Amino acid sequence: MTSATTVPPAADAAAAGGRARAERAGHLLQQHGALIVLVLVGAVSAVAFPDFAGGANLANLAVAASFTAMIAVGMTFVIITGGIDLSVGSQFALGGVLAAWASQYGWVPALLLPLAVCGTFGLVQGTIIARTGMAPFIVTLAGLLGARGLMLAISDEGADTYLVKSAAFARLGQGTLLGLAYPVYAALALFALGGLLLRRARFGQYVFALGGAADSARLMGVPVARVTAAVYVLTGLLAGLAGALNAARLSSGVTILGTGMELDVIAAVVIGGTLLTGGAGALSGTLAGVLLLGVIQNVINQIGSLTSAYQQVVSGAFLAVVVVVQRYLSRVQRLS
Amino acid sequence: MAAPPPDPPLIQATGIVKRFPGVLALDGVSFELRAGQAHALVGENGAGKSTLLKVLTGVYRPDAGELRVAGAPAAFGSPVDAQRAGVQAIHQEIGLVPLMSVARNLLLGREPRTRLGLIDVRALHRRAEELLRPYGVEVDVRRPLRSFGVGTQQMVALARAVSVDARVVVMDEPTSSLEPREVDTLFGVIGGLLEQGIAVVYVSHRMDELFRVCESVTVLRDGRLVHTGPLADLDRLRLVSLMLGRDMAEVRAEGLTRFSGEHGSGDHGRAADTPVLEARGLTVRHRIADVSVTVRPGEVVGLGGLLGSGRTETAKAIAGALPLDAGTVAVAGRALRRPTAASTTRAGVALLPEDRKAEGIVPALSIRENIALAALPALSRAGLVSDARIDRVVDVFMKRLRIKASSVHQPAGELSGGNQQKVLLARWLATGPKVLLLDEPTRGIDVGAKAEVQALIEELAGEGLGVLLISSDLEELVEGSDRVLVLRDGAVAAELSGGEVTEHGVLAAIAAEGED
């Protein structure tokens, strides 16, 4: 056999060693970058603003972040498959209005109706994406408009505000345990369940395989269409649930909520280290990303002189930095 | 075979026909594969080899013919169907998920689970290590697949294929990116598979490997079955002749090309001239090793060899389209440090790529725009393009190269293959090159246009241009070139000049045993 290679093996191995170290460091930063920044920002805020670390403020922060957090669990799955779901903000508003309306029949319908409607909505979107191969961006953009239109239709263009009629249902959003509101526990439970589903269930493996190499996944027997549809059902269910619990907290279905929320959710997931190109990501990162955005918002509220509009400027700048760093890290880790 | 084997063949394809628009890719090809047999599938570009592989692995449905797997008729609608029937392809692109861990890749969809239905991670890793052990792969199975070399990835793909009950493994150029040590491991593994009764379809351009691994061979050419039988019945020269469609007895003294057929005669290519191109020790990892080429003004140097021998890579390396790991390129006596596509073009190197559609012609642009493309820097001042100058240049080449078109504004995509090739030639001639690298300049164009392009090549050389001619058409290579370099496995196997430039000489050099 003649060989076509003349690179000395020793030099090769040394280069590979250095590369492996860089890769590992890149991987670490990718996965836990958001957590590191969260701890830093949190520590600085605690020193700079005496009110920040107070129990009441942190409890508020947690509740405010919990709704984004629930949806972000589903969005992490969607983005790992290489997709995107722009309709979650509209579904969140739709879920809230449906829940408030249904609360006149008790807390069970108030919880189940938004789940059923938004879950179905997600199923339709997911099926279209999986069966027609249309870009998730386009399909869920249509979904964004459609879901908000549906919400406006049932609330008479926002003129009818449904108040929550069931005290039991209102308690789901307003009740507290150890100083934290119930939705916070719901979000944490969903992260735990989502983590099991993603890392320890076969479905999670399929999600990673699909996003990492769709053609290979198909050849390896992954039911590509079903998995694709399922992740959009998941975001639909979670957006509906978050909308319902938020309505319970506010005691009414507020029609103007959720506009632009999908972008906050996506930003949190991406800041948390999930690759927009798919195939890699973790829920721990998403949780850190959600909290980081929550802390930024909270801190800007503490600086009385800045209007809340600056919160978006800071979040946007943050996202830009993260995306640039991700691109660099992907190259170091040779992901792309 | 002496005694008829008791079992039906694992795969039996009979009279397979596959048509594509304008091309008959497979014309009644039959193929048979038995358990425990390694069968080589060989053929040059356009022979129909990859089409047959795709039919066998369920990517294409044949238009006619019958496919049987273990005696039962099979109709594969998709690669997944083929896999269910036990036919697994190991591609160059591996077919696994690079970002997932080795263990999760190996056992995707078959993960060991705990009583709660969750993946049992410890069992997963243990099982993965067990699966890999027979393949000589001892790695941390928790790490992502992409952090390992191609050899390891290929072994993981093989291990997965065999563990999901593959009965036929199709390997397409499995050694092309492997280190020699990895090649040995792979061959050991293949031996093991054969002993288990698994059949292997082995595609490679490397003669040594074919004779080392395979027991039988099928040769395809132009979509037709040329030969099938035990490999031991053939010697290398015979096999190469079959692939190239050159029966040794039939090699003619004089061909039908428009080349004059003189080698190294006349006043061109004298040793005293400064070479227009001098490439020394070109090396691109896994592709070519230590290839040196010298072209003098007015000389046509042929580059021969089988598909995959490194001909195209050599041309691309000279043109700066492939980064060099070692070697130097000098144009007209001036050395280029780190050749890039831009610096070689400036220095006077023009490459006409093999794949006109993908790498050359911009089909939606007009002939005029296609011709002017590469010469734009020379035709413009301060970034503004002079229309009049372009018109002049385009006009000259339309006439000179006899490009047949309704007007210079016709989209280049509408032209015939031969005229497209001439447009490309015009594009590069407009830059005023010193050396032309022609990669298969007459492939896929009709006979008349072919002769015109050949005449043009000779004419251009006569005007002092240096030409490097890559051709799979032996006749064209031999009659068109003053000297011929024969490549094998990415290295120069022989350099033929003067009277040695014959079809037989080239064939013999291609077929010679590789030295270890």
Side-chain angles (χ1 to χ4, degrees), chain A residues 240-261:
Chain A
L241 177 68
L245 291 180
N246 192 44
R249 187 173 74 109
L250 302 175
S251 286
S252 81
V254 181
T255 53
I256 55 166
L257 285 179
T259 309
M261 188 189 196

Side-chain angles (χ1 to χ4, degrees), chain A:
Chain A
M1 275 265 350
T2 55
S3 129
T5 54
T6 54
V7 175
D12 203 30
R19 209 162 45 223
R21 263 195 305 282
E23 268 181 57
R24 267 198 298 281
H27 185 66
L28 211 67
L29 207 54
Q30 172 103 40
Q31 282 228 299
H32 303 300
L35 184 63
I36 296 166
V37 177
L38 175 65
V39 169
L40 287 178
V41 172
V44 170
S45 306
V47 173
F49 307 101
D51 292 341
F52 176 81
N57 184 53
L58 289 182
N60 272 338
L61 195 163
V63 165
S66 62
F67 302 102
T68 314
M70 292 176 207
I71 305 178
V73 171
M75 190 67 82
T76 306
F77 280 78
V78 168
I79 294 182
I80 291 175
T81 65
I84 198 93
D85 189 346
L86 298 179
S87 69
V88 290
S90 296
Q91 294 201 57
F92 175 75
L94 178 63
V97 171
L98 287 171
W101 176 80
S103 68
Q104 57 186 304
Y105 304 108
W107 70 274
V108 176
L111 207 52
L112 289 187
L113 182 68
L115 284 178
V117 172
C118 295
T120 309
F121 199 86
L123 179 64
V124 172
Q125 294 192 116
T127 307
I128 293 174
I129 292 166
R131 296 288 170 200
T132 66
M134 278 169 69
F137 176 83
I138 301 296
V139 174
T140 60
L141 182 61
L144 178 155
L145 299 171
R148 191 156 289 275
L150 199 60
M151 184 270 291
L152 289 174
I154 59 174
S155 63
D156 192 16
E157 310 235 341
D160 291 351
T161 302
Y162 298 109
L163 295 178
V164 169
K165 301 272 172 47
S166 153
F169 181 60
R171 209 161 34 245
L172 288 180
Q174 296 165 4
T176 60
L177 178 68
L178 303 172
L180 286 173
Y182 288 163
V184 177
Y185 294 103
L188 289 176
L190 286 169
F191 267 96
L193 283 176
L196 278 182
L197 188 62
L198 193 59
R199 294 305 303 173
R200 295 290 300 278
R202 190 163 287 169
F203 176 73
Q205 301 310 296
Y206 288 165
V207 167
F208 277 109
L210 185 53
D215 290 337
S216 298
R218 190 170 289 118
L219 279 177
M220 290 161 88
V222 173
V224 171
R226 255 186 293 153
V227 174
T228 305
V231 294
Y232 292 92
V233 172
L234 191 60
T235 42
L237 286 174
L238 292 173
L241 177 68
L245 291 180
N246 192 44
R249 187 173 74 109
L250 302 175
S251 286
S252 81
V254 181
T255 53
I256 55 166
L257 285 179
T259 309
M261 188 189 196
E262 60 279 350
L263 301 181
D264 286 342
V265 173
I266 293 167
V269 173
V270 174
I271 287 172
T274 296
L275 285 182
L276 264 175
T277 44
L283 279 171
S284 56
T286 298
L287 183 58
V290 170
L291 289 176
L292 186 54
L293 289 184
V295 167
I296 291 171
Q297 176 165 28
N298 188 276
V299 165
I300 284 174
N301 289 343
Q302 307 248 339
I303 310 173
S305 59
L306 287 176
T307 68
S308 64
Y310 280 97
Q311 183 245 321
Q312 294 187 11
V313 176
V314 175
S315 304
F318 223 93
L319 186 62
V321 170
V322 166
V323 172
V324 170
V325 171
Q326 268 202 2
R327 173 124 188 98
Y328 170 75
L329 291 180
S330 308
R331 218 171 304 157
V332 171
Q333 300 176 73
R334 292 180 296 163
L335 296 185
S336 48

Side-chain angles (χ1 to χ4, degrees), chain A residues 1-7 12 20 23-24 27 196-202 204-206 208-213 216-222 275 278-280 333-335, chain B residues 79-80 83 95-100 104-105 108-111 113-114 117-121 143 146-147 160 179-180 183 206 209 212 283-286 288-289 489 514-516:
Chain A
M1 275 265 350
T2 55
S3 129
T5 54
T6 54
V7 175
D12 203 30
E23 268 181 57
R24 267 198 298 281
H27 185 66
L196 278 182
L197 188 62
L198 193 59
R199 294 305 303 173
R200 295 290 300 278
R202 190 163 287 169
Q205 301 310 296
Y206 288 165
F208 277 109
L210 185 53
S216 298
R218 190 170 289 118
L219 279 177
M220 290 161 88
V222 173
L275 285 182
Q333 300 176 73
R334 292 180 296 163
L335 296 185
Chain B
V80 176
Q83 277 189 9
L96 298 176
V97 185
L99 287 170
M100 291 176 79
R104 288 177 191 257
N105 261 297
L108 182 73
R110 297 174 297 141
E111 298 90 348
R113 290 194 279 195
T114 62
L118 295 177
I119 294 170
D120 184 342
V121 177
R143 292 192 56 198
R146 70 180 157 79
S147 56
R160 180 181 163 90
E179 307 294 340
V183 172
R206 300 183 180 174
E209 290 180 7
R212 199 168 142 192
T283 300
V284 178
R285 204 161 126 80
H286 291 312
I288 52 174
D489 296 344
E515 69 271 37
D516 267 289

